[in-house]
Amino acid sequence: MKVLIVDDDVVSRMMLMHMIDSAASGVFDVLEAEDGADAWNQLDGGADPTIVFCDLRMPRVSGMELLARVKADARFAGLPFVLVSAAADSATMEQALNLGAAGYIVKPFDSARVGMHLTPLMRAADEQPAATLRRLGIDATRLLLYLGGLQRQLVSAGTDLAALLATSQIDVARAYLARLCEGCRTLGLHGAAAGFDALRSAPDDAGLARELEAAHRAVLRQTDATRHLAM
């Protein structure tokens, strides 16, 4: 999958690229455009990104102008388009949403807000078990053992993390979430990994329940697919 980052500020592009790579290493290829005109040329030329993060104020073609052009073209009408700006202007936010923007992120970048837009895409992009077997150099039986271990860890995590949050041990909870994130990523469950990673910035009970449930479903899907390979 591809992410198109549109910003005339190269430092901002680099920061966003780093956040995407940290949240979803190896999942997204990043395309860069230096302004709206460059971005439109890439889209019109067949770049085919899965999502666009676009700065609002740029020379030649602004982010708002690019958004309007994208949503008016049937080829890109369903493309998630996230506007990025240093200004938290409610009128501008409303205009962007009315034009069809998937979201509006205020600089400086927040990894949780960026991850919120990537996670739904990654849930549909979990690595196929056959690819996980090749990457880890194991057979299907071993992968099933690993998935079972992760499932047991997720069951324990519900109680363990709830207790940590109840006693305000936030740093310990974040470290726990980081381990879950790494376990999911190792087994090719990129959506679950991104969900846990995003939750680390502000862990709470509701978010914990949501991400644990999503991870459980991902493990079950991967287990079923791996069993077919083991037959």
Side-chain angles (χ1 to χ4, degrees):
M1 293 191 295
K2 300 174 186 176
V3 176
L4 175 59
I5 300 175
V6 190
D7 200 315
D8 59 320
D9 181 357
V10 65
V11 175
S12 292
R13 294 203 306 269
M14 290 174 60
M15 289 175 61
L16 191 49
M17 288 169 62
H18 175 70
M19 284 190 177
I20 292 169
D21 187 60
S22 296
S25 179
V27 177
F28 293 101
D29 294 323
V30 176
L31 307 174
E32 299 180 68
E34 62 185 16
D35 58 32
D38 182 17
W40 178 257
N41 288 336
Q42 292 190 44
L43 290 169
D44 194 41
D48 194 28
T50 307
I51 187 171
V52 175
F53 289 92
C54 181
D55 189 41
L56 178 64
R57 294 184 174 87
M58 296 179 295
R60 298 203 294 173
V61 176
S62 72
M64 197 71 74
E65 291 169 333
L66 179 62
L67 170 61
R69 189 179 297 183
V70 164
K71 292 303 176 181
D73 192 308
R75 294 174 296 170
F76 314 121
L79 176 63
F81 193 110
V82 181
L83 269 176
V84 178
S85 175
D89 178 355
S90 59
T92 303
M93 291 181 187
E94 184 177 357
Q95 181 185 2
L97 295 176
N98 287 339
L99 283 172
Y104 188 103
I105 296 177
V106 178
K107 295 180 183 180
F109 297 114
D110 179 275
S111 59
R113 294 294 304 278
V114 173
M116 179 181 71
H117 294 287
L118 296 177
T119 299
L121 303 174
M122 293 174 66
R123 296 211 193 283
D126 284 345
E127 189 174 58
Q128 293 299 310
T132 305
L133 298 179
R134 289 193 298 270
R135 176 169 53 80
L136 297 179
I138 60 176
D139 61 17
T141 301
R142 177 62 62 179
L143 180 55
L144 286 171
L145 288 174
Y146 289 164
L147 288 166
L150 178 58
Q151 185 75 298
R152 290 190 293 274
Q153 189 177 10
L154 292 172
V155 171
S156 300
T159 301
D160 295 344
L161 283 165
L164 291 172
L165 294 178
T167 54
S168 299
Q169 298 183 65
I170 304 302
D171 288 341
V172 180
R174 285 175 174 150
Y176 198 131
L177 288 166
R179 292 194 297 273
L180 291 177
C181 176
E182 186 58 32
C184 290
R185 185 173 289 136
T186 298
L187 297 183
L189 304 176
H190 299 303
F196 286 131
D197 191 51
L199 185 60
R200 288 171 59 199
S201 63
D204 62 84
D205 290 329
L208 174 61
R210 180 185 66 248
E211 297 306 334
L212 284 173
E213 176 60 28
H216 278 299
R217 291 196 300 269
V219 170
L220 290 174
R221 287 195 302 270
Q222 200 79 328
T223 298
D224 287 343
T226 305
R227 282 183 180 137
H228 289 328
L229 294 178
M231 292 178 179

